Amino acid sequence: TPSRSFWLMPHENSGRDEEIFQLAISDLSLNDDILQSEKITHSVKLIEPNNPFQAVQEACELMNQGILALVTSTGCAAASALQSLTDAMHIPHLFIQRNGDGAPRTACQLNPSPDGESYTLAARPPVRINDVLLTLVSELHWQKFIIFYESDYDIRGLQTFMDQSSRMGLDVSLQRVDRNVSRVFTDLFNTMRTEELNRYRDTLRRAVLLMSPRGAQVFIHQAVETNLASKDSHWVYANEEVSDADIMELVHSSLGRMTIIRQIFPLWRDTNVRCMRNNHRISSLLCDPQEGYLQSLEVSNLYLYDSVLMLANAFYRKLEDRKWHSMASLNCMRKSTKPWNGGWSMLDTIQKGRISGLTGVMDFRAEGSNSHVQFEILGTSYSETFGKDVKRLASWESTRGLNGSLKENRIESGMQGVMLKIVTLPEEPFVMVAENILGQPKRYKGFSIDVLDALAKILGFKYDIYQVGDGKYGSALPNGSWNGMIGELIGKRADLAISAITITPERESVVDFSKRYLDYSVGILMSKSEEKINIFSLLAPFDLAVWACIAAAIPVVGIMIFLLRRIQAVRCQNNAGGHPPPSVSTSLQSAIWIVYGAFVQQGGDSILGSVALRIVMGSWWLFTLIVCSSYTANLAAYLTVSRMDNAVRSFQDLSKQADLVYGTVRDSAVYDYFQAKGTNPLEQDSTFAELWKTINQNNAFENSVSSPSEGIKRAKQESYAFLWDMAVLEYAALTDDDCTLTVAGNSMSTRGYGMALQHGSPYRDLFSQKILELQEKGDLDTLKQKWWPRKGRCDLQSHADAQPEGRALHLHSFAGVFCILAAGLLLALLVAALETWWNSNHCRREQPKEVTTDISSGQGPVPSLLTQTRSMVATTGPPAPPRPWSRPRPPGPPVLPRDATATLYFMDPAGADTSPRF
C-alpha cells in the first residue's frame, strides 16, 4: 500500500507542536474512514526562530525525500521565505502563525506570488482583533483613549485601526511600554509636573492594553500603586490567547471596570459530538475539557491539529476520485528542477475542502486563508465587588459581527418603570391566547405567562407582548443567521422571549438564558390501544394443537380403561361363579366419563381392580395436575398483559415495533436532538439510529409534521406516535375531550425551559435570582399543579394513583365461559328431547297386551303362563355359541335377562280390586 507523506517544521520554541502533530497522526491511523487502508508517513524538523535560511534548507531536504504537503508553525519571517520556495516548487503549504512570548499577534506581510498562484494557505485566521476593538469603542462611545503596547508588538498591525479611528473622529494616543514597567512610571513622575500628571491620569481612565498577560498584570499593578488608576477607569485588554487564570489575575489587580477580549472556539457540551468530527475520532485528551490537557495548549496547537485533519480529508477525496499523483521528489538546489506536476491539483482539492475540528469550521475559500474566527468579550461591573464578578457580555464573529450589549448597567434589586418588549409563540399550556377582541391587543394566558406575571409583580416592570412572525422557536440557518424568536433577540427587536423554549448549547451561544423554571424531557404521544374483544380468550393460554392433543387424550385414556376393566370383569366372573360384581360398570361411555371427571377435577366412580388400572389413573391424574396448573398460570399472565394499554413505553419499544409510525416537528430542537443522536457513530445503542431513520424518511416530509398541533391531531386520528416536549404532551392528554391519548417516555432530563434574553442583557441575573426564589417558596409548583393537575379531565396511564376499577376483569373476558355453559345446557335439552321422543315411539311399538285371569278359579291365561314358565325352566337345549371376550356358558337352565320385568294381576272375586299386587 503506498504511503502518503507530509511534513511539519516548527521552530525550537514551539512548545507542544510536535506532540500535537504526533497525536493527530495517531488519531488518523485509528480511523479507517479517513484514509481507508492507506498509511501516513511524516517527518518533523525543528528550526531556530527568526532563521529563514535554515527553514528553507530543511524544506529542500524534505522535498528531496518526497513530499505531498508541508505544514509549518513558525513566525512571519520564516513563513515568508517558505512561501517563495513552495510557490516555486508547487508544494501545498499550510502555515500556522505563532505568537511571540504571549504578546498579541500581528498580521504577517507575505510576499505576493509572481504568477498569482500562491501555494501557502493560512490555517490560522487573519488578525481580527482590530475589528473587534473598533466595534467595542464604538459601542462604548469612547471619543478619547490611549493604547499601550509592548516593545515586542509590531506597531504596523495598528495601521488599519488608526486609519479607521481617524475617519471616525476619535482621539487615539499610542504609548510603548518597555519591559521594565516600573521604570516607565518612575520616569513619568520625574518628567511630568502635577498638572500634566492629572491630565495623564484623566487619559488613563480609558485605555487599551496590547500586551502579554504577564506584562499587563505588572502594568496594572504599577498603575494602581502609583495612584494613576481610579475607580471610575475602564480598561480593555485584548489578546487572542489568555487563560481563565490570567483573566482573574487581571481583574483582581485592576481598580475599575475591566473588559477582556479573547478568541474562543465552539463549545461542544455533548462528549460524543465533541469528540467526533466528520466521522473522525478525536483523542479524548483534546476533546474532553475534564482532562485538563486542552486548557494547557496554545491556540496555534489547535490549528496545527486541524491542519493535519484538513490534509487527510484532502487525501481521502483524491483517493476517492482516483486522481492521485505520485509524491514530489524535488531538488530545489538545481536550476533545472521542474515543479511538482500534481501540486496544483492537490492545492485545489485542499482549497475546496471543509472540515469541523477543534477550532470549529476550517476552509480556505476566502483568498487562501481560513476566515472563521470568533471572539468573546468578558467584563466586570463598576461596583465594590467588580473583581469577583466576571461574566460574558457579548461575542463577535467574522460573519455576524457583534452579538450582545457592552453598555454598563447597574440593576441591583428592581426594574421599576422598565418596559420590556417580549416575543412569544403560542404553545399549550405555556402560552395561549386568552381572548381576542377586535381592535384590542391580544391577551395571553398559560404557565409561562403566569411565571412572567409573577416576576413582573416582584420586579415592577411592564411588558408588551407580540407573536413571532414565522412561528418558529429559533434555529441556525445555513448563512449563519437565526430565525424565530432567537432571531428576534439577536436583531434586538425584542428584549425577552418566552414560551416552551428549551435551553440548548447552540441557542445559548447567541443569546442568554435565565435559570430554568421547568424541567424538560422528550415524550411519546399516541392513542390508547383499543382492547380486542375475544369471547374465547380463556382458550388463549394454550395453542390450538395443545387443545387438540388434550381432546384426543381423553378418549384414548378412556378406551384404555375400558379394555382393562373388561379384562378385570371377566376375571371376576370366573372367580365369583360367573356373576360380575354388581357395582362395576364395564361400558365404554362410563370409562370416558371417569376420565373426563378426573380431568376437570370433579372425581368419578371408584375403580376397584388391578394394579394396571391404578397406574393408568395415576398417570392421568399427574397429567391433569400439570395441565391445569400450566393453564392457570398462563391464563393469569394473559389476562394481565391484555389489560395493558400500550406495548410502547420507551424509545426502545418504539424503535422495535412496526405498527406505529412516528415523527416530530421539522427543524425543531427535538428534531435536532434525534438527528445528533441518530447520526452519531459513537452511539453504541442502535435505538436512536432506527428512530432517526423513520423520522427523517423522505427528508422528514412523510412522518414528521410542521407544528405541534398538527402532530397532536395526527396522533389522535391515526396510528401515529408524536415525539415532542413531555410537558406539552401531558397537557394535551390531560385535556383531551375523548380521553383517547396517552403519554410514554422517560421524565428524567438535565435540560429545561428558560426565558431567553439578548446576549449581555442586564436583566438575566435578576430574572434568574427571582426564579430561584419562586422555586424555594413553592410558587412554581403551585402554578405547575394549575396547568398539569394530577387528576385532570383524563387520567394518564403514567399516574401512580390509577383507579382500582382499572384492574377488574370485564364481562367479555368471561363471555366464553358463559357461552360454553349455555351450549352445554342447550345440548342437554336437545338430547333430553330426543330421548323422550325415541322412548315414546319405542314403547308404543313394543307395548304388551294386558291379560286378566282369575287365579282362584284356575281359569284364564295365568296358569298357562306359569306353565310356560315352568316349561322354559325345564326345557334344555344345546348351549348358545360363545361371544367374543367371554368363556362358553355352562349348561343349565336358561336365565332371563337382567332387565326383564313381569307384571302379575290378582283379581278380587268380588271384582272390587283390580290393581296389580306383584
Side-chain angles (χ1 to χ4, degrees), residues 377-426:
I377 302 175
L378 306 173
T380 59
S381 302
Y382 174 68
S383 62
E384 294 182 358
T385 59
F386 61 89
K388 299 180 181 180
D389 185 17
V390 181
K391 61 181 180 180
R392 184 177 180 181
L393 302 177
S395 63
W396 189 95
E397 296 185 24
S398 56
T399 55
R400 296 199 296 265
L402 185 68
N403 179 24
S405 176
L406 300 177
K407 297 180 181 179
E408 183 177 357
N409 298 279
R410 303 181 185 181
I411 299 177
E412 297 180 357
S413 59
M415 299 170 58
Q416 299 293 334
V418 177
M419 188 71 178
L420 296 180
K421 191 73 172 178
I422 298 178
V423 61
T424 188
L425 176 65

Side-chain angles (χ1 to χ4, degrees), residues 592-883:
I592 295 178
W593 178 254
I594 291 173
V595 173
Y596 176 75
F599 180 76
V600 296
Q601 299 182 353
Q602 297 299 318
D605 296 339
S606 61
I607 299 178
L608 304 175
S610 64
V611 178
L613 276 173
R614 296 181 181 180
I615 293 175
V616 172
M617 290 307 299
S619 302
W620 177 250
W621 289 337
L622 181 60
F623 171 81
T624 300
L625 177 64
I626 297 174
V627 170
C628 292
S629 300
S630 302
Y631 176 81
T632 304
N634 284 1
L635 179 63
Y638 173 79
L639 294 178
T640 301
V641 174
S642 63
R643 290 198 304 270
M644 296 173 63
D645 290 342
N646 288 91
V648 177
R649 295 190 174 274
S650 63
F651 291 140
Q652 287 78 7
D653 297 337
L654 188 63
S655 64
K656 294 177 182 177
Q657 58 82 41
D659 298 331
L660 276 178
V661 180
Y662 47 89
T664 185
V665 178
R666 292 185 291 270
D667 299 329
S668 62
V670 180
Y671 182 86
D672 296 337
Y673 169 76
F674 282 105
Q675 182 181 15
K677 299 284 286 185
T679 57
N680 184 9
L682 299 180
E683 189 74 31
Q684 297 181 358
D685 189 1
S686 62
T687 298
F688 288 96
E690 293 294 333
L691 292 175
W692 173 245
K693 181 179 179 181
T694 303
I695 291 173
N696 197 41
Q697 192 169 351
N698 195 15
N699 292 328
F701 284 98
E702 182 172 343
N703 296 331
S704 295
V705 294
S706 59
S707 65
S709 57
E710 181 184 351
I712 296 173
K713 182 179 179 181
R714 186 174 176 183
K716 186 176 181 179
Q717 296 177 352
E718 305 175 14
S719 179
Y720 180 78
F722 180 51
L723 309 178
W724 195 240
D725 299 357
M726 177 69 79
V728 178
L729 300 184
E730 285 186 350
Y731 179 81
L734 285 170
T735 58
D736 183 37
D737 295 334
D738 302 327
C739 294
T740 59
L741 297 176
T742 184
V743 180
N746 187 8
S747 59
M748 299 296 293
S749 176
T750 57
R751 300 168 62 182
Y753 300 93
M755 297 181 181
L757 302 96
Q758 291 182 9
H759 210 338
S761 173
Y763 312 123
R764 182 193 62 179
D765 295 338
L766 200 57
F767 272 64
S768 298
Q769 178 185 355
K770 298 307 176 184
I771 287 175
L772 292 178
E773 292 180 2
L774 291 176
Q775 288 178 346
E776 291 180 357
K777 295 178 181 178
D779 295 340
L780 289 182
D781 293 334
T782 303
L783 294 176
K784 185 177 179 181
Q785 289 299 322
K786 173 183 176 182
W787 295 102
W788 290 277
R790 294 183 178 178
K791 290 186 178 180
R793 181 186 305 171
C794 305
D795 189 15
L796 296 181
Q797 177 68 21
S798 58
H799 289 178
D801 53 349
Q803 297 180 358
E805 290 79 5
R807 296 191 293 266
L809 292 176
H810 299 287
L811 177 61
H812 59 76
S813 298
F814 281 95
V817 178
F818 291 100
C819 290
I820 294 174
L821 178 60
L825 296 177
L826 292 177
L827 181 61
L829 292 176
L830 179 61
V831 172
L834 291 176
E835 286 181 346
T836 304
W837 173 77
W838 174 263
N839 291 336
S840 63
N841 291 341
H842 183 71
C843 292
R844 189 177 299 111
R845 289 194 303 267
E846 299 181 0
Q847 183 175 7
K849 185 185 292 184
E850 289 189 358
V851 181
T852 303
T853 182
D854 188 0
I855 299 178
S856 60
S857 61
Q859 303 292 327
V862 175
S864 61
L865 177 61
L866 296 175
T867 305
Q868 290 179 0
T869 302
R870 293 190 189 98
S871 62
M872 290 176 59
V873 174
T875 303
T876 60
R883 292 178 295 175

Side-chain angles (χ1 to χ4, degrees), residues 137-203:
V137 296
S138 299
E139 285 286 320
L140 296 177
H141 302 289
W142 284 6
Q143 295 298 323
K144 182 180 180 179
F145 57 94
I146 185 172
I147 298 178
F148 293 96
Y149 65 94
E150 288 181 325
S151 56
D152 295 337
Y153 183 78
D154 190 353
I155 191 63
R156 293 177 297 177
L158 288 174
Q159 184 63 45
T160 304
F161 176 80
M162 297 299 294
D163 294 342
Q164 293 177 347
S165 299
S166 178
R167 287 193 294 267
M168 295 172 61
L170 303 179
D171 185 2
V172 184
S173 303
L174 296 175
Q175 182 170 344
R176 178 179 173 179
V177 179
D178 294 331
R179 293 184 179 274
N180 192 350
V181 179
S182 60
R183 190 180 66 180
V184 174
F185 287 97
T186 302
D187 294 341
L188 288 176
F189 282 96
N190 294 332
T191 58
M192 291 186 178
R193 292 176 297 178
T194 304
E195 295 81 3
E196 294 176 342
L197 283 175
N198 291 334
R199 287 195 299 269
Y200 189 75
R201 184 181 291 108
D202 183 68
T203 304

